Amino acid sequence: MLEEILLNLHNRFEVQGTGLSGTFQISSGTLSLPQLQPGQYFWIEGSIFNDGLHKNPATGLQDETFTGVIIPAAIPRAVVALSEEISAWVSKHPADDRTSESFGGYSYSKATDKNGVPITWQPVFRSKLNRWRKL
């Protein structure tokens, strides 16, 4: 969810001038980068299987050797905490195309926007996220 939020913000919180270019090997599903702090986020670019946001040391990856770039990120704790809040909201409000249903004596309606489309996390959390948004 954090990666989706950062992409929605158009802000990857890249640490400028610290990208690591070269050939990297992921073995046993792990990539550990001693140049980064434990727990620091980073982006992989140029991988066939593992492009995207990861946390150092990264585990659960697809084994491969790739030539690409590792870009360290400095994601504020407030953004990480907000991503957890958004994840909790999404789990309570799963996306589907139904806005209401009823059967027997039971009826249920979802909140919708002005076009009748069920509300997603983006408009709900827009005001909290806007301070980090890039155009």
Side-chain angles (χ1 to χ4, degrees):
M1 178 49 82
L2 180 58
E3 181 174 356
E4 183 179 353
I5 292 166
L6 298 181
L7 295 175
N8 180 268
L9 292 173
H10 305 286
N11 189 349
R12 298 184 346 157
F13 296 97
E14 295 177 12
V15 180
Q16 296 300 314
T18 62
L20 310 168
S21 297
T23 300
F24 302 92
Q25 183 173 2
I26 300 170
S27 59
S28 300
T30 302
L31 176 62
S32 182
L33 300 164
Q35 306 91 323
L36 303 183
Q37 298 294 317
Q40 183 177 3
Y41 288 95
F42 63 92
W43 295 90
I44 293 177
E45 292 182 354
S47 161
I48 293 173
F49 301 112
N50 299 293
D51 271 6
L53 181 66
H54 302 279
K55 194 173 188 179
N56 191 42
T59 58
L61 302 177
Q62 175 73 39
D63 288 356
E64 70 171 324
T65 299
F66 69 95
T67 301
V69 181
I70 303 291
I71 304 167
I75 302 170
R77 279 192 254 170
V79 173
V80 174
L82 191 52
S83 78
E84 293 166 2
E85 184 180 337
I86 292 170
S87 291
W89 187 92
V90 167
S91 68
K92 290 180 183 174
H93 303 88
D96 70 30
D97 56 356
R98 292 175 291 162
T99 58
S100 65
E101 65 183 6
S102 64
F103 48 90
Y106 170 81
S107 69
Y108 170 80
S109 296
K110 286 187 174 184
T112 59
D113 66 13
K114 65 183 179 183
N115 298 319
V117 177
I119 293 179
T120 62
W121 65 267
Q122 289 92 337
V124 172
F125 290 93
R126 180 173 288 121
S127 64
K128 289 184 177 183
L129 291 167
N130 275 343
R131 71 186 262 204
W132 295 291
R133 189 173 308 281
K134 288 187 176 182
L135 299 176

